[in-house]
Amino acid sequence: LMEIVSEPDIRSPLEAKLFMEALQHLLKFIGVSDAKMEEGSLRCDANISIRPVGQKEFGTKTEVKNMNSFKGVFKALEAEEKRHAQVLDEGGKIIQETRYFDENTDTTTGMRTKEYSHDYRYFPEPDLVPVEPSKEWIEEISKTLGEMPEEKKERYEKEYAIPAETAEILISSPAQIAYFEDTARIYDKPAETAKWIVNDLAAYLKENNLSIESCPVSPVQLVEMLKLIDKGTISGKIAKTVLVDMLKTGKNVQDIVKESGLTQISDEGELVKIVREVIKNNPAQVEQFKSGKETVIMYLVGQVMKASKGRAKPDLVQKLLRENLL
C-alpha cells in the first residue's frame, strides 16, 4: 500500500483530474501498480478550499473521500467548489470535515468533522523513522529512470511526426509503448504504425476484451501487413479486413491474402473493363462530369471500388476514368 500526498498547489477540478491521469500513467509505466481506479488499486481523497482573490492564506478545507474514477474526482471537486462558494456568499462558515460524493446527484454530503489533527487519530510509529532524501540522491536516482512517458510523447511528436492525440494514446501503457517501439525498430514509417495501433488494432482488442499483451498479431506481423500496402499488393481498405482476419485466426498476412484472393488489382487491362462497365451503367453522372461537375468523379471512383470489391487502386481508377470519359 502506498500513499501519495501532493502539496496544495492544484488550482482547479480539471487540473486535479489531469494530475490523477498523469499519476496513473506514471505508476503503470514504472510497474508498481496497474492503477485501475475502478478495481480499487488506485483511489483518491481530495482536499479543497477556496479563498477570496488576493488573500494569501488558504480557506478552510474539506475532504472528499475515496473516489474511484477520474470523472468522479472532477465532478466531486466541482460540486464542492460550488458549495463552498455558495456557503461563503451567504455569510456562512465552512466546517473542516470529510464528505461523500453522490455520483447520481452530483452533490456531496458530510460524513464526519475533523477540526484538528488529533481527530484523525494519528500517532507516531516508533519503528519507522522519517526519511528525508537529499537533492543529490533524488538527482542520482532520476538519472537511472530512463525516458518517462511524457518525454516519450514529446519525442514521438518531434522525431516521428506523430499527432499529439495519437502519441498520448500510445504512452497509455508500458505494453503499448513496447509494441509500438518494436514496430518502429523494423519499419521506417512509425507514424503509420502508430495510426494502425491506436485505431484498428485498439478497436478490435477493446471489442474482444483483449489487452495489447495478449494481442494475436505481433509487431512483426503488423509490419509485414503494412509493407504489403507499400508494395501495392493490398490496399489500405483491404488491409483493414486482412488485419481482422489475422487477429481472429492467428494466420500470417501472406496466407490470408493468398487464400482469400484479396490482392489489389493493379493490372490496367483488368481495371479498364470494370471502369467502362461503370461508365455504361451511370449515364447521368457521366453527363454531369462532362458538363463540368468535377466532384462527380469521386462517385464514379466509388462505384468502381464497389464493383472491384475494394481491390482496385483508387489513384489508378481515377486516372482510367478520366481517360475513358474523354
Side-chain angles (χ1 to χ4, degrees):
L1 180 65
M2 176 173 61
E3 182 173 341
I4 299 173
V5 181
S6 70
E7 294 290 341
D9 57 1
I10 295 174
R11 293 291 181 263
S12 72
L14 177 59
E15 190 176 344
K17 175 178 177 288
L18 295 174
F19 169 78
M20 288 299 300
E21 290 174 342
L23 178 61
Q24 184 197 51
H25 284 171
L26 182 60
L27 293 173
K28 291 167 67 176
F29 182 81
I30 62 179
V32 299
S33 171
D34 60 16
K36 295 180 179 178
M37 292 195 76
E38 69 280 5
E39 294 182 10
S41 51
L42 179 65
R43 283 285 190 267
C44 176
D45 297 340
N47 292 298
I48 181 172
S49 68
I50 67 173
R51 55 185 169 174
V53 175
Q55 179 178 303
K56 293 183 178 180
E57 298 78 18
F58 290 118
T60 301
K61 68 178 181 180
T62 56
E63 179 181 16
V64 188
K65 295 289 289 184
N66 206 27
M67 289 167 287
N68 64 355
S69 71
F70 298 127
K71 181 181 178 182
V73 172
F74 174 76
K75 288 286 189 180
L77 290 175
E78 194 175 49
E80 196 59 358
E81 180 184 28
K82 182 179 179 181
R83 187 186 71 84
H84 279 221
Q86 184 175 348
V87 169
L88 295 175
D89 286 345
E90 293 174 354
K93 179 182 177 183
I94 299 297
I95 300 172
Q96 184 169 316
E97 62 180 345
T98 58
R99 297 183 67 85
Y100 165 77
F101 176 63
D102 187 336
E103 293 185 356
N104 295 317
T105 62
D106 282 346
T107 59
T108 67
T109 53
M111 296 170 65
R112 60 181 182 275
T113 60
K114 290 183 177 179
E115 290 287 357
Y116 305 101
S117 60
H118 64 256
D119 290 326
Y120 289 85
R121 301 184 185 276
Y122 288 154
F123 62 89
E125 169 54 63
D127 294 328
L128 295 177
V129 297
V131 176
E132 297 183 9
S134 66
K135 182 179 179 181
E136 292 73 22
W137 186 33
I138 292 174
E139 290 178 351
E140 182 181 345
I141 293 173
S142 296
K143 292 175 182 177
T144 69
L145 294 178
E147 194 176 43
M148 292 288 100
E150 286 302 314
E151 293 171 325
K152 283 187 180 292
K153 177 178 178 292
E154 186 176 345
R155 178 169 64 84
Y156 292 167
E157 292 176 41
K158 291 182 178 179
E159 186 177 333
Y160 298 148
I162 293 175
E165 186 177 346
T166 300
E168 185 71 39
I169 299 171
L170 282 177
I171 67 165
S172 62
S173 75
Q176 188 156 261
I177 290 171
Y179 190 101
F180 166 70
E181 294 194 345
D182 281 347
T183 66
R185 277 190 285 270
I186 58 177
Y187 187 56
D188 61 0
K189 295 182 179 179
E192 187 66 16
T193 51
K195 182 177 69 175
W196 280 87
I197 289 168
V198 305
N199 293 318
D200 297 81
L201 191 63
Y204 180 89
L205 295 176
K206 182 178 180 181
E207 184 179 339
N208 292 275
N209 295 316
L210 295 172
S211 65
I212 194 76
E213 293 95 330
S214 57
C215 180
V217 173
S218 70
V220 172
Q221 289 174 309
L222 179 62
V223 168
E224 287 176 350
M225 186 196 77
L226 296 177
K227 286 182 176 179
L228 288 185
I229 299 175
D230 293 341
K231 291 178 182 178
T233 305
I234 59 175
S235 66
K237 184 176 181 179
I238 290 172
K240 292 178 179 292
T241 301
V242 170
L243 179 60
V244 172
D245 285 345
M246 292 169 67
L247 288 162
K248 285 181 177 179
T249 66
K251 294 181 180 180
N252 63 54
V253 63
Q254 290 87 354
D255 288 342
I256 290 173
V257 170
K258 184 178 179 180
E259 292 170 4
S260 58
L262 289 172
T263 52
Q264 186 168 249
I265 302 172
S266 55
D267 177 73
E268 289 196 19
E270 188 177 351
L271 276 178
V272 165
K273 294 178 184 178
I274 300 175
V275 165
R276 289 175 176 171
E277 189 68 21
V278 166
I279 290 174
K280 177 183 176 183
N281 293 334
N282 293 275
Q285 286 76 18
V286 169
E287 188 60 36
Q288 288 175 353
F289 177 79
K290 290 182 176 181
S291 299
K293 192 173 182 181
E294 181 72 20
T295 55
V296 174
I297 193 74
M298 298 314 298
Y299 171 81
L300 296 172
V301 169
Q303 293 304 301
V304 174
M305 295 302 296
K306 183 178 179 181
S308 67
K309 298 181 180 178
R311 295 172 58 219
K313 293 181 69 173
D315 54 344
L316 180 55
V317 168
Q318 187 165 165
K319 171 180 171 290
L320 294 174
L321 274 168
R322 291 181 181 279
E323 290 175 358
N324 284 271
L325 283 168
L326 294 176

